[in-house]
Amino acid sequence: MKRYFFYIVLLFVVASCSKEYSVENATPLVNIASGTLLDTSGNCREILVSGNYKENVAIDYTNFIKANINFTTIGSFTIYSDTVNGYWFVANGYAYTTGQKALTINSYGKPLLPIDANFKLHFNNSICFFTVPNNAAVIVAPNVNTDYFPTTTNSNWNYFNSFTNDTSLVQVLPIDVTV
């Protein structure tokens, strides 16, 4: 009987010595970027439309918008529009620095009707409106000195993935390359 009592007491002692896991002051696994589509006066910044939006013609890589975003904190982000006339715009990414950035936001879907489409672009708590004209080819002029993505021959950049503690190197090669 004493032996059983000893084992029961030992079982309670072992069971009560468990590690406590706490989440107070824990850092999030992924930082969420914050910012706005608005300027300092509270007005929407210009949204430029590029591409040809025709009835029953599938959207491709030439259909996108350019929007200026002011990031106030770094982290992952999603910028999206509502769906109008069968197509929409969305961009996901990671803001590595704060400040104003010109982003390309791709389009998906296919225009269903031959009408102009009025969209709402959403980022955090800011919403801006823009119109995509029907059957009109619109081209966005390239931004000057706002692209930090080097694309000249032999330029390179490194990406660091903090989740896997790994890096990858990307290098631009000449246009004509034999592989």
Side-chain angles (χ1 to χ4, degrees):
M1 187 67 146
K2 288 182 181 182
R3 184 187 299 193
Y4 291 118
F5 180 72
F6 174 74
Y7 288 127
I8 291 172
V9 171
L10 182 64
L11 178 66
F12 283 122
V13 170
V14 170
S16 65
C17 295
S18 63
K19 172 117 174 106
E20 177 187 347
Y21 294 98
S22 178
V23 293
E24 288 92 84
N25 300 321
T27 57
L29 294 176
V30 177
N31 293 331
I32 305 298
S34 61
T36 183
L37 295 165
L38 309 175
D39 62 16
T40 55
S41 302
N43 299 317
C44 288
R45 292 187 172 98
E46 184 178 23
I47 298 173
L48 302 172
V49 180
S50 179
N52 196 356
Y53 299 85
K54 291 186 177 185
E55 177 185 10
N56 290 321
V57 176
I59 299 289
D60 64 15
Y61 70 94
T62 63
N63 299 95
F64 59 88
I65 59 173
K66 284 235 183 213
N68 290 311
I69 313 299
N70 185 22
F71 289 103
T72 54
T73 62
I74 64 170
S76 63
F77 64 86
T78 299
I79 299 171
Y80 64 95
S81 75
D82 46 351
T83 301
V84 177
N85 194 23
Y87 62 103
W88 64 95
F89 297 86
V90 66
N92 298 302
Y94 195 91
Y96 289 97
T97 60
T98 59
Q100 186 171 325
K101 305 287 187 268
L103 294 179
T104 299
I105 305 167
N106 293 323
S107 181
Y108 300 92
K110 177 171 56 172
L112 302 174
L113 301 170
I115 60 172
D116 290 351
N118 299 312
F119 287 90
K120 288 189 286 188
L121 187 64
H122 302 262
F123 177 61
N124 283 353
N125 292 328
S126 59
I127 297 174
C128 288
F129 297 89
F130 66 98
T131 300
V132 176
N134 176 61
N135 293 333
V138 287
I139 306 297
V140 173
N143 290 330
V144 179
N145 296 329
T146 59
D147 189 3
Y148 295 103
F149 192 70
T151 57
T152 57
T153 300
N154 295 322
S155 62
N156 62 71
W157 55 98
N158 283 312
Y159 291 104
F160 176 72
N161 185 336
S162 60
F163 294 112
T164 61
N165 199 23
D166 195 11
T167 60
S168 61
L169 174 69
V170 178
Q171 184 173 8
V172 178
L173 300 174
I175 294 173
D176 296 326
V177 175
T178 303
V179 179

